[in-house]
Amino acid sequence: MKRNASEQQQSQQTPDDLSLEEQIAFFTSETSSRKVRNNVELSVALGVVENVAKTEGLTTDKLAVLLDVALTGKFANTTSSKLIKCLLPKTYIAEKLVLKCLSWICTGKAANEVQVMLMKWMVLTFDLWDSSKQVQALYGVIFSFIENDLLCPHVCHLLYKLTRKDDVVLFRIQRLLNLQKRVGAQPHLMGLLKLYKVYAPHLVVISVPTSRTVFFRATDRKLMADIREAQERIRQAEGTLGADITEKSEEEGRKVSKRRRLDVIPSVSSAAVTGGESLADLTLLRSHIPITPAEQIRSFEELLDNLDRIELPGQIASVLKSPVLQHVIACCQEEQISQRLGFWLYETLHEEIVDQPRSDRARGERFLRLLINFTEFLQEGVPACENFLVRYLHTWNGADYRPQILKLVSRFRLYAFPKLNDLILEPLRKIFFCSSVFCKCQIVHTLTLMLRNFITEEIPRYKAKRGMTGLSNDGETSDESSEEVDFCHTIEEFISFVDKISVVALIAEKDHILLFHHILTFYEMVSKLRCRYQTPYVCIPSAGIVYRALLSTNAVVISRMCNIMCNYHKEFSSWKEASAVGDVWKGTRSLIPPFNQYVLDFSNILWRNKAFKETQRVADPFLSVVPNEAVERTLVDGPNDGLSVLRHVGLLGYAYQFLKETQPEHKKLHPNLIQPHNRDLYLDYLQKQRLDGILAFIHTYIKRTAKK
């Protein structure tokens, strides 16, 4: 027992102990004077008891004696209240002493003033109890005290500390709501209702205040300070380290103040397992308990065998740390469990991300990483997390928790594009245009992951749900919605949105190479939507992306763009084959002429040396809009050759290195030395330099140049 040390010390009596025994005898004596005024003996006795209690603490036996004296009503209420304030333990408070307190309150012999002080003492010393198991069994008795208006705030505070999932039942919620109608929306009632909603959101249908509300205020700071000092003394005597778990501020009712000293995600603990059991004990429990605590599951086979019998913990948040419980959540279709987890997630995200001081961000990052792992396991967004993101992004500065927030955004569910734009894309667009180039790169990467999630997860889930019910619920923030989503139009508008902000960003950042590569990564996926993901449509980049890549000073950008053009050749070929059976999206046909123009311009500029020449095919080249007079005034020798694969500013370095390796050492090097007979060798050299997109484009669209 925790108080063994104190029992061993009782045999060593000191003068103070002897004096204390005499003063306690004064309180228990039937002949002692009980008047308050001009009672020197009473004042001395109270002073001695208070001094010893604050400096050394009282043993369990002395605490029990003084408790009986205070509650029998032998002395005045002020004296009894002072005695209760002196109940400071030497080690820990025995649970039987707390049970005695409840028994005295049930008798009703003590005055209301004394009962209130006793309830305050029980609340403030809660963390000094050596156990609360038997008190927990009297939860219903304690709950009955809420009808006393004076005790109600402190009873709600004690219940707030004792409540477990099994204690939340409908009749208690109804009694709290009826009491609230009678006395109004008191903070202590709302605090207990909020905790009940964490455990049973399907039963508590009223809205509760945000986490910033202070539910339980400190009403006796002096007693709180005395208990804090007693706990510090006990900790030093035991030689333990750690934070002062009894240190409470006025905002003790806020769960965030408590969680800052603890891990935000609780450990897995089932009601059937109270702690201290060995592995053999846990195995033995299976034959006696109709349900299986999660702590007993040791392998995936055991998980499958007990999937319908696994007991979820009272603290549903612990699923974020338990792979076993995550499998159970993924397989479970109970709405009650989803509501419990959703309500806890939404409240905790506000507390840890919005309300948490910026100086303590490591805690929020750990929580977000666990939430990301959970969403990746489910392969879909969590509705409560999405609701938080929708509100948070409108006030987000784009810097706090950026990697984690963007990762959660990438798992957003599929909605109709107008709604998707209002919820997520518009806030991201505002942050995108007022942030650094590196933040822009992260947002483009997030949009790429978001598109992949739509194609690989959301659309198949949407089709499966529509196939089962005839309608889709994915188009609304509420699962009860029956609005259908035109996913073809949504994906087209989404790609168009990314295209527009990408063009503006390239102009603003002067074609920053890192940003360009993130944009090309997005279009590498877009250029394979039909062949790789079996989508019924094809989407091409705008001219602002294509021609900025073609005229880039970076060879890798040019090569990647050529590779993207080759991907589209396969896309349109697949589309033409499907058009024969009608399995196509009609909007794709209108993209063929502009894409043919892209191919013609790439061929004319890179290979045919016709960058500024007008043609009679399809349409005029992109650079033909430049007047001939303007081209001549540049005094550039051979302007049509200046953007070819031999003289392109992005490829000149490679041409120089190729000539340096193939020409005599003292020969003056010039791109004109690459003649038609060794041009294929130059293309092979580019391929060895990992610029295989250029060669692939020429082999795909200019057949006569392919090697024989």
Side-chain angles (χ1 to χ4, degrees), residues 275-294:
E277 292 86 348
S278 64
L279 179 61
D281 294 333
L282 289 175
T283 305
L284 184 62
L285 282 174
R286 295 187 180 183
S287 59
H288 302 287
I289 304 176
I291 56 177
T292 303

Side-chain angles (χ1 to χ4, degrees), residues 342 345-346 380-389 413 415 477 479:
L345 279 176
Y346 186 81
E380 64 176 321
V382 180
C385 181
E386 293 182 359
N387 293 336
F388 168 78
L389 289 174
R413 290 179 295 173
Y415 300 97
T477 54
D479 291 339

